[in-house]
């Protein structure tokens, strides 16, 4: 499929797909005659992976490192696994921080609700 079709399926722009490829975020896309990109199912899988990792906060640099290692074949399995472990651990820490913040906000909201109830109870009926 061409870049327009891949963009539509992935929910990204053609410019973003070109950027992903030029920066090494995804492996090079095969080309048809005349240099037209010909996206395959595997390419869409990579795009989906990159979208997921970026939305989770993984840095472009880490993704480039991961993709570069992937091109080196199976001998890079351990290094790629370590990147994923590092990113997962960072997400777990961020998740803990977010959970703690949510709990703190819940406490603040409850205190407002309590104050609102008290002030409403003092109003004439």
């Amino acid at each position: 499929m061409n870049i327009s079709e891949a963009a539509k399926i992935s929910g990204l722009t053609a410019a973003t797909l070109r950027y992903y490829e030029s920066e090494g975020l995804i492996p090079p896309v095969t080309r048809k005659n005349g240099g037209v990109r010909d996206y395959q199912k595997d390419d869409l899988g990579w795009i989906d992976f990159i979208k997921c990792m970026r939305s989770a906060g993984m840095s472009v640099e880490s993704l480039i490192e991961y993709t570069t290692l992937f091109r080196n074949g199976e001998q890079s399995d351990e290094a790629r696994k370590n990147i994923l472990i590092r990113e997962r651990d960072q997400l777990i820490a961020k998740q803990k921080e977010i959970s703690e913040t949510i709990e703190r906000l819940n406490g603040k909201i409850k205190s407002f609700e309590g104050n609102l109830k008290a002030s409403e109870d003092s109003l004439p009926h």
Side-chain angles (χ1 to χ4, degrees):
M1 79 189 71
N2 66 31
I3 196 165
S4 297
E5 295 166 324
K8 185 175 180 179
I9 289 169
S10 68
L12 299 172
T13 66
T16 299
L17 294 178
R18 285 186 204 96
Y19 169 77
Y20 280 6
E21 186 180 1
S22 71
E23 292 299 313
L25 290 166
I26 61 173
V29 176
T30 57
R31 309 268 178 150
K32 293 181 184 179
N33 293 344
V36 175
R37 288 173 177 83
D38 185 22
Y39 286 85
Q40 305 297 314
K41 187 176 180 180
D42 286 350
D43 298 318
L44 295 177
W46 269 101
I47 293 164
D48 190 50
F49 173 72
I50 298 302
K51 279 178 53 178
C52 177
M53 295 298 104
R54 287 294 295 143
S55 71
M58 191 171 184
S59 70
V60 169
E61 294 77 19
S62 290
L63 286 166
I64 292 169
E65 179 184 7
Y66 185 91
T67 305
T68 301
L69 287 167
F70 174 80
R71 288 191 223 146
N72 293 335
E74 289 182 12
Q75 71 264 19
S76 71
D77 284 358
E78 191 67 25
R80 285 184 288 138
K81 178 183 169 188
N82 288 334
I83 291 170
L84 297 176
I85 289 169
R86 180 184 72 219
E87 293 298 325
R88 182 206 52 207
D89 291 348
Q90 288 175 357
L91 279 173
I92 290 169
K94 186 71 173 171
Q95 182 181 38
K96 182 177 184 255
E97 181 182 326
I98 289 170
S99 293
E100 290 169 356
T101 302
I102 289 170
E103 285 305 309
R104 189 169 190 174
L105 288 171
N106 285 338
K108 278 292 217 191
I109 291 166
K110 278 189 188 269
S111 73
F112 278 106
E113 290 169 351
N115 289 338
L116 181 61
K117 172 87 169 100
S119 66
E120 286 177 345
D121 286 345
S122 68
L123 294 174
H125 296 290

